[in-house]
Amino acid sequence: MNNIWKEMFSSQNNKKAQEQGGLFDSSIPQGVGSRKDAQVRLQKDLMENMVKIRAFSQNTSDLLDRQIEVSGVKVGILMCEGMINLQMFTQIMVRPLSEVSIPNADGEAVAHWVSKNTVFSGDQKEFFTYDELFTFLMAGFVVLLIDGVDRGIACGMQGFNFRSVSEPSTEMNITGSREGFVEPVRINQTMIRRRIRSPSLKFEMYPVGQKSRTDICLVYLTDTADPKLVQAVREKLSNLSSDIVLSQGYLSPYLEGNPKSPFSSVGTTERPDTLCAKINEGRIGILVDGTPFALIVPYLFSEHFQSMDDYSYRPYYGSFIRLLKYFAFFLSVFLPGLYVAITVFSPQMLPDSLLFNIAASEQQTPFSMMTEAFIIHLIYEIMREAGLRLPRPVGHAVSIIGALVIGDAAVQAGIIGSSMVMVVALTALSSFVVPSLYEPAAVLKFVFIIVGGTWGLFGISVGFVLLLCNLCALESFGIPIMAPTSPWSAADLRDNFWRSSWKKLGKLRLHVQNLPGSRLNENKEDKKSC
């Protein structure tokens, strides 16, 4: 079917263009492809427009074009192959255009009839430049160009394939929603709108990337988000210099506050309910077309340890799970370094029986404790990356190799000690408890292995203080990411290390711009003092 449409749409216009002196007009520079060259207005002559469109697009094979007559007026129809719903296009657009009869019709009369008297699509817009034309075409719109009219009409009839809504793969839950974001940004907008049915929910969409023209969408509540925060996010994104944007990771560096930190001040989520909860607190969500992950700014450090399941459990159990996540994170970062520091510099801190077992296992190994810990954790990271990138049918081979070679053969051969295998296993399990912090935890554990093996417990203590200072100094759009722990606010701790009941949480509504230490309210405080 697509080939039939392609031949039907292309043959007539190409033939007429060649009769007028070739497909590429001599007045149009060859190799036109930049957005600057396409920032010219459409002409009233339909054939001139069609020839220039072919020139701008370098005669790409997926551009389908066809000229028809509507009440004696020539109308050009353009679309991208595979981007539209052909059944909708045939029934809603082709049939009315072929049956309409407008007396004494000219180009403006046909344009007025299409714009004012028909509803080809719920998303129907007029445009005036070639740049807008290509933006609509490549977003799945059908474009109408009318002879004698210097503007076009775009009708949204998207019909491209995409992954259906399914359960999030990175944020699993037990009692919450099973819906996760998908790649098309419009579908993600509907999932948010279904959960927040308020007129104050606003979507701001605009393209980024000079070549990809990727649609990104700012999501926020106009009566909750601080206008200065919204403007700051817009300014950050306006500095985007990439030609192509393919995922949310391209935007994160422009939104982060202090880049000299292993921790990010930009959060990500794959769950619509999580994003709705965040924007209800005054945050801004950013949806990127083509990726199922949404960005959240500003993002606090304590939010890495929160999940939607916490608010479905009883308060005491939700608090227990949250404290367990904190403990697991510190274990994944500090356990290897503490093990090396204690066994090398402070063995008297261990019980005699445990110390004898460790000494017996390490006596057969050729490496020092620090070297052994560094090598074994590096091997584990290699195994994890290999298992992550391998196809699923053969991915289990990595775990088999790891269990046989590292877990058994390496110990039997005396390359590593059995106690070190236990430390690696416990560190690996702890790092999976808070997956959003896996990246900094994976790097920091190597840092603390070196520090612990070089300066012992003193080095671990100094490293911990420096890490804590780095966290406390990190801001996201003027809001400290360690708030409300630093600066301290006892009232806001009701949903930090532990979770209070909904009776208490519902009494005082949290707005992120009102957190202690926020610089968004400096002007308000100055006015009050005056």
Side-chain angles (χ1 to χ4, degrees), residues 255-428:
L255 299 170
E256 291 180 349
N258 186 3
K260 299 178 181 179
S261 175
F263 299 97
S264 175
S265 58
V266 180
T268 60
T269 182
E270 201 179 357
R271 299 179 58 87
D273 49 2
T274 299
L275 182 61
C276 291
K278 300 304 180 186
I279 64 177
N280 188 51
E281 297 176 350
R283 294 175 175 83
I284 299 176
I286 304 174
L287 304 175
V288 183
D289 190 29
T291 178
F293 291 90
L295 298 176
I296 302 172
V297 290
Y299 201 74
L300 306 180
F301 181 74
S302 61
E303 293 179 290
H304 291 288
F305 305 91
Q306 301 172 0
S307 66
M308 291 303 297
D309 273 338
D310 295 348
Y311 303 95
S312 300
Y313 296 140
R314 298 285 296 276
Y316 70 88
Y317 186 71
S319 301
F320 169 73
I321 294 297
R322 194 167 292 180
L323 292 173
L324 188 66
K325 292 178 181 178
Y326 276 99
F327 177 74
F329 169 71
F330 284 105
L331 206 63
S332 64
V333 173
F334 294 103
L335 178 61
L338 282 173
Y339 177 78
V340 172
I342 292 174
T343 54
V344 174
F345 292 95
S346 306
Q348 67 275 7
M349 297 179 62
L350 298 175
D352 292 341
S353 58
L354 178 59
L355 182 59
F356 291 150
N357 292 334
I358 294 175
S361 63
E362 296 297 331
Q363 189 176 5
Q364 306 296 326
T365 59
F367 305 110
S368 65
M369 188 68 71
M370 183 183 73
T371 306
E372 184 180 335
F374 195 91
I375 291 175
I376 193 64
H377 282 88
L378 184 63
I379 292 175
Y380 164 74
E381 292 296 332
I382 294 174
M383 288 172 48
R384 178 186 174 277
E385 191 67 19
L388 187 64
R389 306 302 172 189
L390 276 175
R392 290 185 179 180
V394 297
H396 64 279
V398 176
S399 60
I400 296 175
I401 294 173
L404 293 178
V405 176
I406 296 180
D408 183 62
V411 175
Q412 295 296 329
I415 299 177
I416 60 174
S418 57
S419 58
M420 186 62 72
V421 176
M422 184 65 185
V423 172
V424 172
L426 189 56
T427 304

Side-chain angles (χ1 to χ4, degrees), residues 19-32:
E19 290 175 356
Q20 294 188 6
L23 185 62
F24 295 93
D25 194 289
S26 58
S27 62
I28 302 174
Q30 302 297 316
V32 175

Side-chain angles (χ1 to χ4, degrees), residues 43-293:
Q43 305 300 315
K44 289 189 175 182
D45 185 79
L46 175 62
M47 183 53 62
E48 182 180 353
N49 288 331
M50 300 294 277
V51 171
K52 285 187 177 181
I53 290 169
R54 277 291 175 183
F56 280 128
S57 64
Q58 299 294 302
N59 200 22
T60 178
S61 61
D62 64 333
L63 176 61
L64 309 182
D65 59 273
R66 172 73 188 274
Q67 293 184 30
I68 63 174
E69 286 193 359
V70 178
S71 298
V73 178
K74 293 181 180 180
V75 176
I77 305 176
L78 299 100
M79 68 185 74
C80 280
E81 183 179 11
M83 296 287 288
I84 69 162
N85 187 323
L86 291 179
Q87 183 178 1
M88 182 187 301
F89 167 71
T90 303
Q91 294 179 353
I92 298 179
M93 179 175 286
V94 175
R95 185 173 298 174
L97 287 175
S98 61
E99 295 176 355
V100 67
S101 177
I102 304 174
N104 302 321
D106 58 3
E108 288 293 340
V110 174
H112 182 272
W113 179 82
V114 172
S115 301
K116 306 299 182 181
N117 299 339
T118 62
V119 183
F120 287 150
S121 169
D123 191 4
Q124 186 169 311
K125 302 175 182 177
E126 290 188 349
F127 60 91
F128 299 90
T129 65
Y130 291 102
D131 180 69
E132 294 174 293
L133 183 146
F134 284 111
T135 299
F136 283 122
L137 271 180
M138 297 171 187
F141 283 70
V142 176
V143 171
L144 297 179
L145 299 178
I146 303 171
D147 193 25
V149 179
D150 60 350
R151 63 186 182 276
I153 301 173
C155 304
M157 295 187 179
Q158 291 87 345
F160 47 82
N161 295 324
F162 59 89
R163 181 174 60 89
S164 61
V165 177
S166 58
E167 188 172 359
S169 58
T170 58
E171 298 177 70
M172 306 298 295
N173 71 309
I174 299 175
T175 57
S177 171
R178 295 294 193 272
E179 285 186 344
F181 285 131
V182 292
E183 282 71 18
V185 66
R186 305 277 182 178
I187 305 299
N188 296 337
Q189 288 178 343
T190 62
M191 287 191 282
I192 297 173
R193 178 65 71 179
R194 282 175 46 231
R195 289 167 170 81
I196 302 180
R197 304 177 184 182
S198 170
S200 62
L201 177 63
K202 184 176 180 179
F203 295 101
E204 288 185 14
M205 182 174 291
Y206 52 90
V208 295
Q210 293 295 321
K211 294 183 179 179
S212 65
R213 306 294 285 177
T214 305
D215 287 330
I216 66 171
C217 181
L218 301 187
V219 188
Y220 60 93
L221 292 172
T222 54
D223 59 352
T224 303
D226 192 290
K228 291 185 290 185
L229 176 61
V230 177
Q231 184 60 29
V233 173
R234 292 197 194 107
E235 292 176 357
K236 291 277 189 179
L237 293 176
S238 65
N239 296 326
L240 186 68
S241 57
S242 299
D243 288 339
I244 188 169
V245 175
L246 300 178
S247 70
Q248 80 285 350
Y250 288 67
L251 304 181
S252 296
Y254 296 91
L255 299 170
E256 291 180 349
N258 186 3
K260 299 178 181 179
S261 175
F263 299 97
S264 175
S265 58
V266 180
T268 60
T269 182
E270 201 179 357
R271 299 179 58 87
D273 49 2
T274 299
L275 182 61
C276 291
K278 300 304 180 186
I279 64 177
N280 188 51
E281 297 176 350
R283 294 175 175 83
I284 299 176
I286 304 174
L287 304 175
V288 183
D289 190 29
T291 178
F293 291 90

